[in-house]
Amino acid sequence: GIQVEQSPPDLILQEGANSTLRCNFSDSVNNLQWFHQNPWGQLINLFYIPSGTKQNGRLSATTVATERYSLLYISSSQTTDSGVYFCAVYLGYGNKLVFGAGTILRVKS
Amino acid sequence: DTEVTQTPKHLVMGMTNKKSLKCEQHMGHRAMYWYKQKAKKPPELMFVYSYEKLSINESVPSRFSPECPNSSLLNLHLHALQPEDSALYLCASSQDSRGNYGYTFGSGTRLTVV
């Protein structure tokens, strides 16, 4: 089956720092989403980004579908950015959303 | 309304109990999903409903029984669960079963089986 790999697995930042999270996938995918899971378990949709670049405030994402990767940029990090960031890809066959293992982000004040 | 609402938020049940998890969305989405998430792991798909019909069952044990009474509601009936079934259960919806426009997740039900 498709492999979805996220890096780094863990990241500790000082408040105000910038970071880049990466998602590699092993096969062609129809769609891709980035989620943030907060400490209470809520999965918050950050970006629906099958291709191209999108920005939302301090966050932006880029997906290069032909090279099978996506990047999530977090600028001027805040403590509320802490949590787990998941990349998830939608497989046309099987009709399912498959998650990577996630990146655990801790932002210290 | 752009939310998926799940109830209850927390549930503790014994191994002989019967309980149900509920999920509701009013975004007009026609596909709904149940995911299970163990601690420090990503969510794993359990069931997919498309246009109120079960389209995918990821080999989930029969002690989990999904139900889709209408296009806005999704239930997960639980019976004779085991302690290893303790997890966060997440409901999600999408506009169609092809995942176009993305998935929206609820805040989950944290289940503990004792």
Side-chain angles (χ1 to χ4, degrees), chain A residues 33 37 42 90 94-96, chain B residues 37 56 58 97-98 103 107:
Chain A
Q33 275 184 267
Q37 188 165 41
Q42 171 92 52
Y90 176 76
N95 189 21
K96 60 174 70 173
Chain B
Q37 187 178 21
I56 292 180
E58 289 286 291
S97 61
R98 294 186 298 276
Y103 287 54
S107 56

Side-chain angles (χ1 to χ4, degrees), chain B residues 29-96:
Chain B
H29 288 177
R30 301 314 302 267
M32 296 185 75
Y33 312 83
W34 282 113
Y35 279 79
K36 175 181 178 179
Q37 187 178 21
K38 300 285 277 184
K40 300 188 187 301
K41 296 289 188 183
E44 293 182 339
L45 182 66
M46 300 175 72
F47 301 105
V48 178
Y49 272 84
S50 179
Y51 290 85
E52 300 155 54
K53 289 186 172 20
L54 182 65
S55 62
I56 292 180
N57 176 341
E58 289 286 291
S59 303
V60 178
S62 59
R63 57 186 184 269
F64 295 91
S65 175
E67 178 197 20
C68 189
N70 60 54
S71 60
S72 299
L73 292 174
L74 187 65
N75 299 322
L76 186 63
H77 303 298
L78 314 173
H79 174 54
L81 294 193
Q82 303 297 309
E84 59 264 29
D85 296 321
S86 298
L88 179 67
Y89 288 84
L90 292 161
C91 175
S93 69
S94 62
Q95 187 159 335
D96 60 33

Side-chain angles (χ1 to χ4, degrees), chain A residues 30-84:
Chain A
N30 286 20
N31 298 312
L32 185 146
Q33 275 184 267
W34 283 98
F35 294 93
H36 174 218
Q37 188 165 41
N38 64 25
W40 297 272
Q42 171 92 52
L43 264 176
I44 299 162
N45 178 36
L46 298 177
F47 293 103
Y48 169 76
I49 185 164
S51 63
T53 298
K54 291 186 177 179
Q55 178 149 12
N56 184 3
R58 297 180 295 104
L59 273 60
S60 65
T62 295
T63 296
V64 184
T66 53
E67 297 186 23
R68 299 180 183 169
Y69 73 88
S70 184
L71 303 173
L72 178 68
Y73 306 95
I74 304 174
S75 65
S76 304
S77 58
Q78 301 176 357
T79 56
T80 51
D81 294 331
S82 297
V84 185

